[in-house]
C-alpha cells in the first residue's frame, strides 16, 4: 500500500528557522488540534496540538500520569470504549477528522495499528491465525494472499525465522519477546498507515527490547510510528521527534536530537536530567 | 571465624530440623489440625456414602450382576421381582443431554447480553432474576409444571403434533407417544429452564474475567463488538463456559423432584418422545416408600449407587475439561 502525500506541512515552529528547514519537506500524517480527553470531570489531556510526520518515529515521554498514553489512545479512538469519557478537539488523519460524526471508529482503527504494553496474542489462536486476525476482519479469505501476508508481516516483525516451522502452534506458546513481535506482526498485517505503540518494551527483557528497537528502526521506512515510552534512552535511540508531556499538556515538541541536547524548556531539562519524574 | 561458624550452624539447623518447627505455637497447631480434620471429613463422608450405597445395594447387584443390573431392561416390583436399571439410565441420559442441548444457546446468550451489551442496571436485574430461578425450590417448579406448564403444552402443542402424526404418519405414533402432557418432553423443557442459571452465571464470570488487554487488542485491529466477542472473549472464556456446562449437566442428572413430578413415571421401555418415562432419581423418589421386599429396596439403593458413580464420572470429566481448556498462568504469558 502506498502512502499518498496529503498535505504540505505548514511551518509549525515559527520561532525556529533551523527546525523549519528540517521539517519543511516532510508530510503530515496525523495531527491533533486542541485535543482534550475528559474522564468524568478530570482532564486527562488538555488542548494538545501535535503534528506527527509521515514515516518518522514520534516519541511521547513524560512522568507517569502525564497523559501520554491517554493521548496515544485518542489517536485511534480507543476512548470510545470507556464510559464517561469525553473528547474535545480534532484529530486529523491525512487531513480528515477522525472524530467527525459520520466516521466509524472501527474503520479508523483498521487504519491505525496498535501495540500494547503487554503482548496480546490471542492465546487460543495459532501463530498463523493471530497474524491474519485483522485481515479476516476485512473479509480476506484467499489462502494465497493470507499466506503471503503472514510471511511478509512476520518478516517485517523480525519473527519469521523463529516461528516459520511452527506457524500452527498456539500464540501463547511463544516467549514474551516473541509474543510482542507477534502482536506487531498482527498489527502490520493489515498494512496500517500509522503504528501506535504504548510502551511496547516495558514488559520485556533487555535483549527483546533491543530487537524491538531495531525493528522500529526498519519499520519507519514504511509506516509512521508513535511510541509512548517512559525510558528516555529509548526515546533518544529510536525516535526522530519527541514530545514531552507534563500534567496533561505538551511542554515541548522538537526533533529528538535537539530535545536531548539543548532543550528549550526548563522543565524538560529538569525531567531529562532526572530532577523530577 | 566464629561468626562463620554460627552462620553455618544456623543454616544447618534450619535445613535438618523438622519442618513442623515452623508451626511451633499452639494456636498454629490447633488451627492446622482442625483444618486438616475438617478437610479429611469431606473426603471420608464421600467415601462412606459410596460404601453404604454399595453395601445396601449389594443384594441386588449380586443377584443381577454388576453389569447385568446396568443392562437389565425389566423393572418389575410386582410379580417377577426382576430389576434392571437400564431404562432409568437411558431416561437420565436422554433428559439431561437434551436439556443441556436446549439450554446451551439461551444460557450463553443471556450471559453475553448481561456481560457485554446491557447497561449496568439492566444486567443487575437480569443477574438477580437468573439467580432467582436457581433459588426456587424444584418442588415449586414441579408444581407449576403440573398445574400450568404441562396442561398448556398438551393443549397447545402435544395434541396437535399427535393429531398431525395420526393423520400423516400413523406408523410413527409409537415413537411420538401419548400426548398426556406428563412425559419426556415436558421434563426436558423444565429441566432446561432449571439449568440455565448454572451455565449463565459461570459464563458471565468467565466472560468478565477476560483481560481488558485481549478485548482492546481485538478492538485495535478494527473489530466490531461482535467480532471482539467472537475473536477474543469467547475463546478466552471457553474453559469457564465448559465448566458451567458440565455443572449444569451434573445438576440435570441429579435433578429429582421437578422431573419426578413431570416425567410421567413409566418404568419400562420403550420410551417415546411425548410419552411418560423415568429417570434414576425419579424412580428412587417414587418407589422407596413402597418397597417392601428386600430385593426391591436393595435395587433402588443400587440405582442410587450407579447414579453416584455417574455423577462422579461427570465431575471428573468436568475437572479434566476445565483444566485442559482454561487459559491461565504460563500458557498465556
Amino acid at each position: 500500500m502506498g502512502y499518498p502525500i496529503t498535505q504540505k506541512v505548514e511551518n509549525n515552529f515559527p520561532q525556529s528557522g533551523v527546525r523549519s528547514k528540517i521539517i519543511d519537506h516532510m508530510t503530515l500524517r496525523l495531527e491533533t488540534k486542541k485535543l482534550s480527553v475528559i474522564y468524568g470531570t478530570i482532564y486527562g489531556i488538555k488542548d494538545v496540538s501535535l503534528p506527527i510526520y509521515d514515516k518518522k518515529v514520534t516519541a511521547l515521554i513524560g512522568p507517569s500520569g502525564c497523559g501520554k498514553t491517554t493521548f496515544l489512545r485518542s489517536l485511534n479512538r480507543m476512548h470510545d470504549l470507556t464510559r464517561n469519557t469525553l473528547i474535545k478537539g480534532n484529530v486529523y488523519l491525512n487531513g480528515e477528522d477522525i472524530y467527525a460524526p459520520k466516521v466509524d471508529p472501527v474503520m479508523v482503527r483498521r487504519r491505525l495499528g496498535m501495540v500494547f504494553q503487554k503482548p496480546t496474542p490471542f492465546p487460543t489462536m495459532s501463530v498463523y491465525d493471530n497474524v491474519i486476525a485483522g485481515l479476516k476482519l476485512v473479509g480476506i479469505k484467499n489462502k494465497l494472499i493470507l499466506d503471503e501476508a503472514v510471511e511478509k508481516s512476520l518478516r517485517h516483525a523480525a519473527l519469521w525465522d523463529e516461528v516459520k516451522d511452527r506457524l500452527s502452534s498456539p500464540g501463547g506458546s511463544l516467549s514474551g519477546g516473541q509474543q510482542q513481535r507477534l502482536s506487531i506482526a498482527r498489527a502490520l498485517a493489515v498494512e496500517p498507515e500509522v503504528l501506535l505503540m504504548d510502551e511496547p518494551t516495558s514488559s520485556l527483557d533487555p535483549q527483546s527490547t533491543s530487537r524491538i528497537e531495531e525493528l522500529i528502526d526498519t519499520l519507519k521506512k514504511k509506516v509512521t510510528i508513535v511510541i509512548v515510552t517512559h525510558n528516555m534512552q529509548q526515546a533518544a535511540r529510536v525516535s526522530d521527534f519527541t514530545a514531552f508531556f507534563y500534567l496533561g499538556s505538551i511542554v515541548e515538541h522538537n526533533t529528538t536530537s535537539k530535545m536531548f541536547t539543548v532543550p528549550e524548556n526548563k522543565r524538560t531539562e529538569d525531567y531529562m536530567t532526572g530532577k523530577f519524574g | 571465624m566464629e561468626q562463620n561458624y554460627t552462620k553455618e550452624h544456623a543454616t544447618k539447623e534450619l535445613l535438618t530440623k523438622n519442618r513442623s518447627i515452623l508451626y511451633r505455637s499452639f494456636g498454629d497447631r490447633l488451627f492446622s489440625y482442625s483444618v486438616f480434620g475438617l478437610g479429611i471429613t469431606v473426603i471420608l463422608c464421600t467415601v462412606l456414602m459410596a460404601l453404604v450405597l454399595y453395601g445396601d445395594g449389594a443384594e441386588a447387584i449380586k443377584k443381577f450382576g454388576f453389569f447385568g443390573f446396568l443392562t437389565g431392561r425389566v423393572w418389575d416390583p410386582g410379580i417377577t421381582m426382576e430389576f434392571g436399571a437400564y431404562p432409568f439410565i437411558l431416561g437420565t441420559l436422554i433428559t439431561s443431554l437434551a436439556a443441556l442441548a436446549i439450554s446451551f444457546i439461551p444460557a450463553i446468550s443471556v450471559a453475553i447480553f448481561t456481560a457485554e451489551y446491557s447497561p449496568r442496571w439492566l444486567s443487575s436485574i437480569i443477574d438477580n432474576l437468573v439467580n432467582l430461578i436457581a433459588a426456587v425450590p424444584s418442588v415449586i417448579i414441579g408444581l407449576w409444571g403440573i398445574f400450568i406448564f404441562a396442561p398448556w403444552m398438551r393443549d397447545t402443542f402435544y395434541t396437535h403434533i399427535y393429531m398431525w402424526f395420526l393423520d400423516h404418519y400413523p406408523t410413527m405414533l409409537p415413537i411420538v407417544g401419548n400426548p398426556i402432557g406428563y412425559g419426556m418432553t415436558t421434563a426436558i423443557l423444565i429441566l432446561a429452564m432449571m439449568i440455565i442459571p448454572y451455565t449463565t452465571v459461570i459464563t458471565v464470570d468467565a466472560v468478565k474475567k477476560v483481560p481488558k488487554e485481549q478485548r482492546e487488542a481485538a478492538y485495535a485491529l478494527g473489530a466490531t463488538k461482535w467480532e471482539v466477542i467472537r475473536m477474543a472473549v469467547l475463546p478466552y472464556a471457553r474453559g469457564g463456559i465448559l465448566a458451567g456446562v458440565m455443572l449444569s449437566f451434573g445438576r440435570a442428572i441429579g435433578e429429582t423432584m421437578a422431573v419426578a413430578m413431570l416425567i410421567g413415571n413409566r418404568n419400562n421401555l420403550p420410551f417415546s418422545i411425548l410419552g411418560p418415562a423415568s429417570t434414576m432419581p425419579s424412580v428412587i423418589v417414587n418407589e422407596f416408600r413402597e418397597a417392601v421386599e428386600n430385593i426391591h429396596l436393595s435395587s433402588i439403593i443400587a440405582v442410587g449407587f450407579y447414579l453416584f458413580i455417574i455423577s462422579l464420572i461427570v465431575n471428573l470429566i468436568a475437572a479434566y475439561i476445565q483444566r485442559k481448556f482454561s487459559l491461565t498462568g504460563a500458557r498465556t504469558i
Side-chain angles (χ1 to χ4, degrees):
Chain A
M1 193 189 285
Y3 299 111
I5 293 171
T6 50
Q7 190 183 342
K8 195 76 182 167
V9 183
E10 43 189 302
N11 190 346
N12 280 283
F13 304 98
Q15 74 275 38
S16 164
V18 183
R19 262 166 291 148
S20 63
K21 257 182 213 159
I22 301 172
I23 58 180
D24 227 15
H25 59 276
M26 294 188 310
T27 49
L28 262 182
R29 172 60 63 182
L30 201 58
E31 187 180 24
T32 68
K33 282 204 172 129
K34 293 224 161 209
L35 184 71
S36 301
V37 178
I38 305 153
Y39 300 115
T41 52
I42 302 155
Y43 276 85
I45 52 172
K46 194 169 184 180
D47 292 340
V48 173
S49 300
L50 183 72
I52 290 158
Y53 299 104
D54 193 24
K55 292 177 196 168
K56 298 284 171 206
V57 180
T58 304
L60 313 177
I61 60 168
S64 303
C66 65
K68 47 194 194 302
T69 296
T70 302
F71 175 77
L72 189 80
R73 291 166 64 89
S74 64
L75 297 180
N76 66 342
R77 294 194 62 167
M78 289 300 271
H79 290 302
D80 292 23
L81 306 172
T82 35
R83 292 164 206 258
N84 291 329
T85 308
L86 187 71
I87 312 278
K88 278 183 184 166
N90 309 90
V91 178
Y92 297 100
L93 175 62
N94 302 334
E96 176 193 343
D97 187 2
I98 63 165
Y99 279 99
K102 277 187 184 168
V103 174
D104 182 358
V106 169
M107 292 305 150
V108 172
R109 291 186 203 120
R110 285 186 185 164
R111 293 168 66 184
L112 294 108
M114 193 165 199
V115 177
F116 297 86
Q117 200 166 346
K118 270 195 202 161
T120 51
F122 300 125
T124 56
M125 287 186 194
S126 65
V127 170
Y128 186 93
D129 287 336
N130 259 292
V131 178
I132 62 167
L135 294 172
K136 270 195 168 166
L137 291 176
V138 230
I140 297 171
K141 292 197 182 95
N142 187 327
K143 184 92 171 86
L144 285 173
I145 297 177
L146 292 177
D147 282 349
E148 199 188 21
V150 167
E151 180 170 348
K152 202 170 125 196
S153 319
L154 286 173
R155 276 191 197 282
H156 280 161
L159 189 60
W160 174 252
D161 293 330
E162 288 160 58
V163 300
K164 63 182 173 196
D165 300 324
R166 46 185 182 137
L167 291 175
S168 54
S169 56
S173 67
L174 303 180
S175 76
Q178 289 173 329
Q179 289 190 9
Q180 190 64 307
R181 275 178 282 148
L182 179 60
S183 308
I184 294 174
R186 186 178 61 191
L188 291 175
V190 289
E191 304 198 353
E193 296 161 52
V194 182
L195 190 61
L196 309 173
M197 301 176 116
D198 187 359
E199 301 190 16
T201 60
S202 65
S203 63
L204 303 181
D205 59 279
Q207 210 184 349
S208 307
T209 301
S210 67
R211 293 221 59 175
I212 303 250
E213 286 178 6
E214 284 164 25
L215 180 61
I216 291 172
D217 223 40
T218 48
L219 283 179
K220 73 175 182 186
K221 289 176 195 131
K222 303 204 143 227
V223 249
T224 309
I225 295 174
V226 185
I227 179 172
V228 166
T229 174
H230 55 205
N231 178 338
M232 263 168 317
Q233 284 74 38
Q234 184 172 65
R237 283 193 298 263
V238 301
S239 69
D240 303 305
F241 290 90
T242 303
F244 173 55
F245 275 73
Y246 184 60
L247 298 177
S249 313
I250 291 191
V251 173
E252 193 170 344
H253 172 227
N254 214 326
T255 57
T256 301
S257 53
K258 195 90 193 263
M259 188 99 149
F260 278 82
T261 46
V262 273
E264 279 171 7
N265 194 294
K266 178 79 173 56
R267 266 196 304 216
T268 314
E269 197 181 340
D270 286 351
Y271 179 71
M272 301 258 186
T273 51
K275 283 185 186 149
F276 77 98
Chain B
M1 272 308 274
E2 205 179 329
Q3 227 180 3
N4 268 341
Y5 169 74
T6 49
K7 229 183 206 171
E8 274 168 22
H9 187 75
T11 318
K12 204 175 171 189
E13 195 181 74
L14 202 67
L15 287 174
T16 50
K17 264 199 177 164
N18 197 322
R19 197 174 145 272
S20 70
I21 206 166
L22 293 169
Y23 306 105
R24 198 155 23 188
S25 91
F26 175 71
D28 264 349
R29 272 194 199 167
L30 184 70
F31 184 70
S32 70
Y33 288 147
S34 45
V35 171
F36 179 76
L38 291 170
I40 286 292
T41 314
V42 174
I43 299 173
L44 272 181
C45 279
T46 318
V47 172
L48 285 176
M49 216 188 291
L51 283 178
V52 167
L53 282 172
Y54 183 77
D56 289 355
E59 194 184 332
I61 296 174
K62 267 185 201 131
K63 187 170 176 196
F64 305 111
F66 190 86
F67 291 102
F69 187 71
L70 273 182
T71 51
R73 285 159 173 263
V74 181
W75 182 272
D76 183 5
I79 305 155
T80 58
M81 287 294 158
E82 206 186 326
F83 296 98
Y86 183 72
F88 312 119
I89 293 171
L90 197 65
T92 297
L93 290 180
I94 291 174
T95 47
S96 38
L97 283 174
L100 199 65
I102 291 173
S103 71
F104 183 73
I105 303 273
I108 301 287
S109 314
V110 171
I112 291 176
F113 178 72
T114 49
E116 296 282 332
Y117 284 92
S118 74
R120 262 178 223 170
W121 60 270
L122 186 58
S123 35
S124 69
I125 291 176
I126 294 176
D127 276 351
N128 281 318
L129 286 177
V130 166
N131 288 335
L132 190 71
I133 300 183
V136 172
S138 58
V139 66
I140 292 177
I141 295 183
L143 271 184
W144 174 74
I146 281 186
F147 291 115
I148 296 167
F149 184 70
W152 182 77
M153 286 300 284
R154 178 187 59 210
D155 298 343
T156 333
F157 296 106
Y158 299 164
T159 343
H160 299 296
I161 294 170
Y162 187 81
M163 295 310 284
W164 188 85
F165 273 101
L166 189 66
D167 290 346
H168 295 84
Y169 301 98
T171 44
M172 296 283 282
L173 283 181
I175 298 175
V176 176
N178 283 333
I180 51 170
Y182 306 103
M184 186 88 93
T185 307
T186 311
I188 289 172
L189 291 174
I190 289 285
L191 206 49
M193 193 194 85
M194 290 176 75
I195 62 176
I196 281 179
Y198 296 88
T199 314
T200 301
V201 168
I202 293 185
T203 303
V204 168
D205 272 357
V207 165
K208 281 186 177 161
K209 265 187 204 144
V210 174
K212 204 179 82 191
E213 290 86 1
Q214 287 285 319
R215 294 163 195 273
E216 287 187 340
Y219 274 118
L221 280 176
T224 59
K225 181 138 192 164
W226 162 239
E227 286 164 342
V228 171
I229 292 172
R230 208 187 51 194
M231 179 190 267
V233 176
L234 290 182
Y236 203 92
R238 64 183 183 184
I241 294 173
L242 280 171
V245 167
M246 291 312 281
L247 184 76
S248 301
F249 188 51
R251 171 93 188 133
I253 287 175
E255 176 49 43
T256 310
M257 232 24 241
V259 173
M261 289 163 91
L262 292 169
I263 203 164
N265 301 309
R266 174 193 162 111
N267 287 349
N268 291 308
L269 292 173
F271 295 150
S272 51
I273 295 170
L274 299 178
S278 223
T279 66
M280 298 169 89
S282 80
V283 74
I284 294 174
V285 77
N286 280 326
E287 299 203 357
F288 78 96
R289 276 159 295 156
E290 294 145 23
V292 261
E293 301 288 337
N294 278 341
I295 186 73
H296 188 192
L297 191 63
S298 176
S299 300
I300 291 170
I301 296 173
V303 171
F305 174 70
Y306 286 111
L307 183 59
F308 184 91
I309 290 186
I310 290 177
S311 307
L312 199 71
I313 292 172
V314 168
N315 272 313
L316 287 177
I317 294 174
Y320 172 75
I321 287 179
Q322 204 187 352
R323 188 171 299 184
K324 191 164 178 219
F325 286 97
S326 46
L327 295 157
T328 43
R331 281 196 55 196
T332 42
I333 293 155

